Amino acid sequence: MRIAVIAGDGIGQDVTAEAVKVLTAMGEVYGEPLELEPLPWSADHYLQTGVTLPPDGYDMLRQYDAVFVGALGDPRVPDNRHARDILLGTRFELDLYVNYRPVRLLDERLCPLKGRGTADVNFVVFRENTEGVYVSIGGRFKAGTEDEVAIQEEINTWKGVNRIIRHAFAYAKAHGLTKVCMADKSNAMQQGHALWQRVYKEVAAEYPGITATHQYIDALAMFLVKDPGQYEVIVTNNLFGDIVTDIGGALQGGLGMAASGNLHPGKTSLFEPVHGSAPPLAGRNLANPMGAILSSALMLETLGRLDEARAIEDAVKAALMAGETTTDIGGTLGTREVGDAIVRRIRRPVEE
Ligand code: NAD
Ligand code: IPM
Ligand code: MN
């Protein structure tokens, strides 16, 4: 299997190096090597060449079995043009309409909520990933004056809403789950989110075994903090999904713990930690690599290599239990040492 690896910017470089170590070890231990091919696309590359990604960049990515991304975003590129092209562009061009963001607390000591344990934080967010406000349709008129008008449109299509909602229900059914919650802002956004309401009710009616609830996004944000145990599957739009999965990251111990997959089922998909490039931490051996490493497990899971995905998750859990962690979650190790500890735990069952 061939994997394109775009480490990107800031701590994207640091955490990707550790995910690569883990994936390399997996290939050796399980005897099915992964060809990990680094692509240099990043802020540095853009600033040096003026190119965010080559004209055939998306076609190049389609040739791989999967794409792994660290993070993109650099203060030297204030309009984030390269991140738009490389990350959002790939989501759009490869039509990666499912942003799959599991929120699983692996060690109760990491939960910031009083008295909550691993059973209380265990749900999946499906974020629509190809439309919403992210399409960047709009414009500015009289920019830079006091008469400036800025228009940013939100796109909701039947096709886009239907396919993400269907994916959420199908996932619930396939995993023996019985609760789906859709979050929108249909009380204020009475056009676009009426479409979400309609489609949600239609699809829910096809799944009588699943309890389909609805919460406005503001209430959902509150309940994620107050009572996260009520959720099994959450489905929402692109922007709301972005925001609630940062809350989800915090519930798991911090952004450094959160993993994601950008999927088009059956086609080349992209895997990345939920966090960004965290410039203050970059290159300092401080970033938590677990979100990136868990994203590589999601990648193997999606590629059908379930035993290896499970082995990575078990190794991460074991490292957590042993306190082999970075400082953001209370440990004393650096990024590289956490990667090494996880690799050791992957190799150990075979060596013994
Ligand atoms: P961020 O996720 O990079 O960091 C926010 C804070 O969370 C950090 O300052 C740090 O305290 C903590 N944090 C994040 N990841 C961590 C890790 N692995 N280990 C330890 N602590 C961690 O968000 P930001 O500061 O808002 O954004 C920085 C840049 O990253 C921006 O350019 C933004 O656009 C970009 N970004 C990219 C992605 C992506 O590539 N998928 C995601 C989010 C943000
Ligand atoms: C994420 C990020 C991106 C998003 C940014 C970098 C555009 O925050 O993947 O969560 O908003 O989708
Ligand atoms: Mn985000």
Side-chain angles (χ1 to χ4, degrees), residues 227-265:
D227 178 25
Q230 68 181 277
Y231 302 107
E232 290 183 350
V233 175
I234 292 171
V235 58
T236 190
N237 69 30
N238 206 339
L239 181 63
F240 297 165
D242 177 45
I243 297 166
V244 301
T245 54
D246 264 33
I247 301 177
L251 294 176
Q252 295 169 86
L255 270 179
M257 295 303 298
S260 82
N262 299 252
L263 318 175
H264 185 121

Side-chain angles (χ1 to χ4, degrees), residues 100-213:
Y100 167 47
R101 295 189 160 183
V103 179
R104 271 192 203 113
L105 178 65
L106 297 180
D107 178 342
E108 70 177 22
R109 292 171 298 179
L110 300 186
C111 188
L113 305 178
K114 222 178 349 181
R116 302 288 182 189
T118 51
D120 301 304
V121 181
N122 185 8
F123 58 91
V124 177
V125 179
F126 289 109
R127 162 185 178 190
E128 200 295 318
N129 212 30
T130 50
E131 36 188 68
V133 293
Y134 280 75
V135 296
S136 203
I137 291 179
R140 288 157 77 202
F141 179 52
K142 298 188 180 173
T145 74
E146 291 188 357
D147 294 320
E148 180 164 346
V149 179
I151 293 179
Q152 182 99 42
E153 297 286 6
E154 180 179 289
I155 302 297
N156 297 276
T157 69
W158 181 85
K159 177 182 160 190
V161 174
N162 182 58
R163 65 186 182 174
I164 189 68
I165 288 176
R166 278 191 184 281
H167 188 86
F169 278 97
Y171 177 94
K173 189 168 180 193
H175 290 80
L177 303 173
T178 58
K179 293 193 283 185
V180 174
C181 180
M182 189 273 277
D184 65 16
K185 191 67 192 171
S186 50
N187 48 354
M189 304 179 72
Q190 287 169 350
Q191 312 307 330
H193 294 196
L195 177 59
W196 280 78
Q197 286 285 328
R198 178 196 133 200
V199 174
Y200 187 60
K201 286 181 188 137
E202 286 170 4
V203 177
E206 295 175 27
Y207 288 87
I210 293 178
T211 305
T213 57

Side-chain angles (χ1 to χ4, degrees), residues 32-94:
E32 265 193 90
L34 292 153
E35 282 178 46
L36 302 165
E37 299 182 15
L39 296 172
W41 308 341
S42 60
D44 274 343
H45 181 259
Y46 170 59
L47 292 168
Q48 279 160 22
T49 64
V51 174
T52 56
L53 79 176
D56 62 345
Y58 304 122
D59 284 333
M60 284 171 67
L61 294 181
R62 284 191 193 95
Q63 308 305 312
Y64 291 92
D65 292 292
V67 182
F68 186 89
V69 171
L72 291 152
D74 187 301
R76 295 168 302 165
V77 187
D79 64 1
N80 244 348
R81 169 189 303 251
H82 69 300
R84 255 208 93 69
D85 286 359
I86 300 165
L87 181 63
L88 300 183
T90 302
R91 289 177 183 169
F92 295 140
E93 294 294 326
L94 272 62

